[in-house]
Amino acid sequence: MSIQTLTDDDRRTLARWALACAERVLPMFDGDEAARAEIRDAVARTRAYGAGESSAAAEIRKRLVGVKAAQAATTPAGAAAARAAGQAAAVAHMGAHALGAAAYAARAVSLADPGRPEAVDDEIRWQLADLRGAEREALRRLPALGADPSGPLGDGLLARGILGSTIRRIQREIGAGRPAGEVGLTGRLVCAGRDEAEIVLRHLPLHTELSRAEPGCLRFEVAATEDPLVWSVSELFADRESFDRHQACVRASEWGRATAGIARDYVVEERS
């Protein structure tokens, strides 16, 4: 799971704020009635998701509604407003889309009133003021814009122009995206006999591949030593959240189940 997904509880929490940002600019949408109906439906479903009345799976199919509705808009501001609504709907899929909703709302404002740049500042100030405590905390758990490629906060559309400057300002104001202390694990995996060693040899390649692919994994090495029953272990993760997520994945994995009885001699250190 991408770090930008957040938990289902976080996504439901953020749905309210994302929708509030989008609804402020929806009067700018100037598409046909069919597109308006699609947006109204997406807004209602997003509100229901935030209230716990529908599941993420049921809402994921609506995550592209803004893209389709934007094609029916007759002005750039209307298209940006539609995309803000689409980003809000997509929060059910990934929490990071909440910042996308705010960014496209700011873009809609800038396009609607290009001769008044302070209007964008006013919009962002409103967005920040409207954030509730739990919503602010959920946004703080997202990576800084451009720091993680596994979602909308990668080096893509949301990182450019007014979209990017809006998200960077919001993240800066709430203290999000600051590098956390790296977490390292070192030690030994010690087998009691040949049977346990064979279990390690059989499951280690896939375990290594999956661990190195996890978001936040900076180093993952399990190496044989001169003793055929002992492996040295060295892991490094970008922060406590990615380290804890890795540990949870290990416990639920085939490797975790197969090696649960094998002795570990580990030291975990958090670096400031």
Side-chain angles (χ1 to χ4, degrees), residues 98-177:
L99 289 171
Y104 271 107
R107 184 176 182 180
V109 168
S110 73
L111 291 168
D113 198 355
R116 189 171 163 265
E118 63 270 22
V120 175
D121 289 335
D122 291 344
E123 192 67 19
I124 296 174
R125 279 195 290 270
W126 181 92
Q127 292 170 349
L128 288 165
D130 189 61
L131 270 174
R132 299 173 182 175
E135 296 162 353
R136 190 177 292 260
E137 288 304 313
L139 288 180
R140 284 187 181 131
R141 286 190 271 276
L142 291 168
L145 182 64
D148 176 78
S150 63
L153 296 182
D155 188 21
L157 285 175
L158 291 184
R160 303 170 190 168
I162 192 171
L163 301 177
S165 62
T166 298
I167 291 174
R168 291 185 185 95
R169 178 173 169 183
I170 292 172
Q171 289 196 311
R172 182 173 64 251
E173 292 287 341
I174 67 173

Side-chain angles (χ1 to χ4, degrees), residues 27-117:
M28 300 178 191
F29 181 64
D30 51 1
D32 57 31
E33 181 53 34
R36 291 174 184 273
E38 281 288 318
I39 288 182
R40 286 196 298 269
D41 180 61
V43 166
R45 294 175 69 93
T46 303
R47 185 169 286 112
Y49 173 73
E53 297 170 1
S54 66
S55 67
E59 301 309 316
I60 284 176
R61 67 177 183 270
K62 286 288 184 179
R63 69 185 186 277
L64 297 179
V65 65
V67 176
K68 296 176 181 177
Q71 297 170 356
T74 61
T75 64
R83 289 181 181 273
Q87 290 282 321
V91 167
H93 174 55
M94 273 191 145
H97 285 293
L99 289 171
Y104 271 107
R107 184 176 182 180
V109 168
S110 73
L111 291 168
D113 198 355
R116 189 171 163 265

Side-chain angles (χ1 to χ4, degrees), residues 47 57 114 163-164 196 203 212 224 254 264:
R47 185 169 286 112
L163 301 177
E196 287 190 349
H203 292 280
R212 289 176 176 172
E254 185 177 352
R264 271 85 163 167

